[in-house]
Amino acid sequence: MISVDSLAFGDLRYGPNINQGLLIRLATGDTIALTSLDRLSMEGVRGHVSEIRFADGLDLDFVGEVGRIEVGPLGFEANLSPTLLEYLYHNSRAALLLSGLVFSWGLLWGTRRLLMGP
């Protein structure tokens, strides 16, 4: 395994350099197919390359955390970083914790208003 804190696929200013690929967002479980028209830009990278293969090009498997992911044709890149709502929708433990906190806050706020008046 090779630890990485930066990952780039050529000079992204001059156009696509990916033949094909697969991007899996573990936080949401989404799978995004990358084509030859797509550019991939990642910021805030922390993880490791677990496998590198040379076939008809370079194949690599990267596992880690990324602060921001943008994918798409030049000028039409989409930000694929999960939002808080997407994360909560796909992570039942975090959603349960957040809903418990909101319920507790509401209960305490209602009790306070009941005891102290409006």
Side-chain angles (χ1 to χ4, degrees):
M1 277 191 248
I2 302 169
S3 294
V4 294
D5 57 10
S6 175
L7 190 60
F9 298 97
D11 191 344
L12 294 178
R13 293 175 295 178
Y14 299 112
N17 49 18
I18 295 174
N19 291 330
Q20 65 180 355
L22 195 61
L23 177 67
I24 302 169
R25 295 188 309 171
L26 296 179
T28 62
D30 295 342
T31 301
I32 296 103
L34 303 175
T35 67
S36 61
L37 297 177
D38 291 329
R39 291 169 15 121
L40 176 62
S41 172
M42 296 185 281
E43 298 174 10
V45 176
R46 189 176 71 220
H48 63 271
V49 175
S50 60
E51 190 172 341
I52 299 175
R53 297 171 302 281
F54 295 96
D56 293 329
L58 173 68
D59 292 336
L60 64 87
D61 294 332
F62 168 78
V63 178
E65 297 176 4
V66 178
R68 183 177 175 93
I69 305 169
E70 290 185 347
V71 173
L74 182 61
F76 297 95
E77 295 91 348
N79 182 357
L80 296 182
S81 304
T83 63
L84 178 61
L85 289 177
E86 284 180 308
Y87 179 75
L88 291 175
Y89 179 77
H90 292 282
N91 190 333
S92 58
R93 288 183 185 168
L96 181 63
L97 177 64
L98 182 63
S99 61
L101 289 172
V102 169
F103 174 78
S104 299
W105 180 81
L107 186 64
L108 291 173
W109 185 259
T111 304
R112 176 189 168 277
R113 288 186 52 101
L114 181 67
L115 295 176
M116 301 182 93

